[in-house]
Amino acid sequence: MGTASIGGYAKAVEAARSDPAKFWGEIAEGIDWIKRWDTVIDDTRKPFYRWFVGGVLNTCYNCVDRHVVNGRGDQLALIYDSPLAGQQRKLTYRQLQHEVAQCAGALRAMGVDKGDRVVIYMPMVAEAVIAMLACARIGAVHSVVFGGFAAPELAKRIVDAKPKVMMSASCGLLPGKAVPYKPLLDEALEIAGVPQTPCLVLQRRELRCDMVAGRDVDWSDAVARVQPADCVPLAATDPLYVIYTSGTTGKPKGVVRDNGGHAVALRWSMEAVYGVQPGDVYWAGSDVGWVVGHSYIVYGPLLQGCTTIVYEGKPVGTPDAGAFWRVCAEHGVNAFFTAPTAFRAIKKEDPEGTLVKKYDLSKFRTLFLAGERGDPDTIEWAERILGVPVIDNWWQTELGWPAISNCMGLEHLPVHPGSPTKPVPGFDIRILDEDGNEKAAGDIGSLVIKLPMPPGTLYTLWNNEKGYEETYLSRYPGYYLSGDAGYIDAEGYGWVMSRIDDIINVAGHRLSTGQMEEVLASHPDVAEAAVVGVADVLKGQVPLGLVVLKSGVKHTDEEICKDLVARVRAQIGAVADFKSVRVVARLPKTRSGKVLRVTVRTMADGGEVKVPATIEDDTVLPEIKAALAALGYPRAG
């Protein structure tokens, strides 16, 4: 179902709302099926809905093989561009088909079968994409873990997913240095209690690693000596992948994506939301470890027959703030998707956008921003220096694709900077108060999505259906709880303001402050801790910690704070960007003992503090204000 047959935005919204089975059934014709579905949407187990029940397909076939069959074999499928490694590599769809089939054969030789899990812990190299597609080819369920996570975080995911095989690399790269991955992998397997798990390891020239005899398999050797594996038929409702998202504490939240609904939604989103067609060059400047990487480096562009780019570099410093424009010009990028954080970094280094003028961006049509709130200043600056539409969109790991966006393939609506525009057809978004009543236009409340959600969204948590229901479906029966607060204005534009829980967004990475508090509280000298996300001009949000010490500690405050920063880095990873922590005599609390985190955050952000009526002792607030001032908060501008 092409955009032409849908009509404009309003028609698509109405079609999706009035007859979702017909709407999505027609869109599903854009995917190759081994067997057509019996039911477009199965609602026999409300609130658990399933899409395209009875359908059989293979996601890897739809991403790779069918384009070869349909005459696109010589088109570029994947461009690997690494200023850090000083390398580029280009694969046509035919070459990608060969590489994926060989990698799938190597997994088969290691005993991986349909339904087995494979944890992928890799840097941004072409092989990371090949690994994901190889799993999809043979029906293995992949779980990609961002390479910036430390061993304890990787271990949690290993424990939950119980992988048959690990796929990794000897190192990742940062400007000027190689980061060893193998010691982290080995440590994570030890922590998880499964040190003998077989590992398929890509040896990189920048830093080779030691291999464990009898356990580790060299990637290059393995793919060279096996028979290629064919695509296996999979039910539309079979899991394609698990991706772990930040929870508060306890059991990891493994979001499960299916094969059928995911393929249908992702392909259509490329056309309807991003306005790209087969043969276009699409670049998502993210990492395969995040949902953006899953959806828009790997699956979305390849399902649509686009050329996708895997970029191993930074927005600035590799070599300068013109890095993105070099990639766009060199590879003829038509549409580019990245986080506002990247543009804030570029803006800081090149405020006048002079580096843009060095490059031919005549093929560049649209910039898309997501991953955190797109602030009006950044959007307007990007529009000014690029001279193309800058489109914000809002979604989550759980949703898998945009829920609020300006749908460029349907109709380019007027941009209201600060708003990601309107709900995408298929997403029925409401704003509710504490009692479940709809809020009036312009009033902030809890952002929810009326069930059933469209295909491509999560349908459960890995081995935790009860947790899925409790986390997302029980607060407002009949609705999915996004965890975000926002409002819909009188024109129907959505505005997403903040989290209603403890998840913060650090440079597009969703991280749990509760998890950081656990690390701080585990320090032998710390009695209690609070972490809040405070506004940061570059990264959107950064964590700030306050700790109360036990009596009689022998170390200085400075020593303890230095140790706390190191502990968060070791336990969660550098991605948390945890640098600001201060010792205080006490934390502000309610009479029932709850820490007033919102009050702390408001003070740090320089907002007007309304002293809560429930506060235990308001004399603590000047102490907190002084502690924040010592850390440099609130910051000017």
Side-chain angles (χ1 to χ4, degrees), residues 230-282:
D230 287 332
C231 299
V232 304
L234 297 166
T237 51
D238 281 342
L240 170 67
Y241 70 76
V242 177
I243 182 169
Y244 288 93
T245 186
S246 296
T248 47
T249 56
K251 191 174 175 65
K253 282 166 39 179
V255 168
V256 188
R257 207 82 67 202
D258 65 12
N259 275 274
H262 172 262
V264 170
L266 265 289
R267 191 212 62 79
W268 185 69
S269 74
M270 296 299 297
E271 179 183 294
V273 177
Y274 298 105
V276 296
Q277 298 299 324
D280 280 346
V281 180
Y282 183 91

Side-chain angles (χ1 to χ4, degrees), residues 588-609:
K589 294 181 180 179
T590 65
R591 293 186 186 93
S592 61
K594 290 181 181 175
V595 177
L596 292 164
R597 292 177 179 81
V598 173
T599 302
V600 174
R601 185 173 66 232
T602 303
M603 292 172 74
D605 288 343
E608 182 182 346
V609 176

Side-chain angles (χ1 to χ4, degrees), residues 111-129:
V112 178
D113 207 346
K114 175 183 172 180
D116 289 337
R117 273 78 61 209
V118 175
V119 169
I120 300 170
Y121 182 65
M122 296 189 73
M124 281 296 288
V125 290
E127 287 82 0
V129 177

Side-chain angles (χ1 to χ4, degrees), residues 520 523 525-526 545-547 549 555-568 578-584 631:
L520 301 188
H523 190 286
D525 291 340
V526 171
L546 298 174
V547 296
L549 300 182
H555 299 98
T556 66
D557 289 3
E558 186 179 349
E559 287 171 335
I560 292 168
C561 288
K562 187 176 180 181
D563 191 24
L564 291 172
V565 170
R567 281 170 175 252
V568 172
F578 185 83
K579 296 171 184 171
S580 297
V581 60
R582 185 82 178 173
V583 174
V584 294
L631 289 170

Side-chain angles (χ1 to χ4, degrees), residues 9 40 53 114 201 277 282 355 375 454 569 622 631:
Y9 169 78
V40 173
V53 173
K114 175 183 172 180
V201 182
Q277 298 299 324
Y282 183 91
L355 290 171
D375 59 285
R569 188 180 183 91
L631 289 170

Side-chain angles (χ1 to χ4, degrees), residues 256-473:
V256 188
R257 207 82 67 202
D258 65 12
N259 275 274
H262 172 262
V264 170
L266 265 289
R267 191 212 62 79
W268 185 69
S269 74
M270 296 299 297
E271 179 183 294
V273 177
Y274 298 105
V276 296
Q277 298 299 324
D280 280 346
V281 180
Y282 183 91
W283 175 26
S286 182
D287 189 287
V288 292
W290 306 115
V291 72
V292 171
H294 283 59
S295 295
Y296 295 115
I297 294 175
V298 185
Y299 291 111
L302 297 178
L303 285 163
Q304 180 69 337
C306 297
T307 300
T308 190
I309 295 175
V310 175
Y311 175 71
E312 189 182 32
K314 301 287 183 182
V316 297
T318 56
D320 56 29
F324 280 1
W325 320 134
R326 192 270 304 168
V327 173
C328 288
E330 209 164 292
H331 305 304
V333 171
N334 304 119
F336 177 39
F337 181 138
T338 190
T341 300
F343 268 73
R344 287 193 280 267
I346 294 167
K347 182 182 174 186
K348 182 184 175 189
E349 296 290 321
D350 184 22
E352 301 306 313
T354 53
L355 290 171
V356 174
K357 297 169 187 146
K358 285 178 58 179
Y359 299 97
D360 176 8
L361 300 181
S362 56
K363 293 182 179 177
F364 188 55
R365 298 194 301 257
T366 325
L367 171 68
F368 296 91
L369 297 177
E372 68 213 271
R373 187 167 181 263
D375 59 285
D377 282 353
T378 298
I379 289 172
E380 288 163 358
W381 179 81
E383 281 182 336
R384 190 171 70 251
I385 68 158
L386 291 171
V388 300
V390 177
I391 308 300
D392 191 8
N393 53 120
W394 172 84
W395 47 298
Q396 303 173 313
T397 300
E398 292 88 342
L399 302 180
W401 60 289
I404 306 177
S405 184
N406 207 327
C407 294
M408 297 300 286
L410 296 177
E411 182 180 351
H412 184 191
L413 298 172
V415 171
H416 294 179
S419 166
T421 311
K422 295 186 178 184
V424 173
F427 287 96
D428 186 353
I429 291 176
R430 312 285 178 93
I431 307 296
L432 303 182
D433 66 16
E434 285 296 306
D435 298 320
N437 302 309
E438 282 202 51
K439 303 278 282 186
D443 287 352
I444 292 179
S446 185
L447 192 156
V448 301
I449 303 169
K450 193 173 188 297
L451 301 179
M453 290 201 294
T457 54
L458 85 168
Y459 63 91
T460 192
L461 296 178
W462 184 253
N463 286 337
N464 191 11
E465 188 173 86
K466 184 181 178 186
Y468 169 54
E469 189 168 16
E470 289 175 350
T471 304
Y472 301 105
L473 308 179

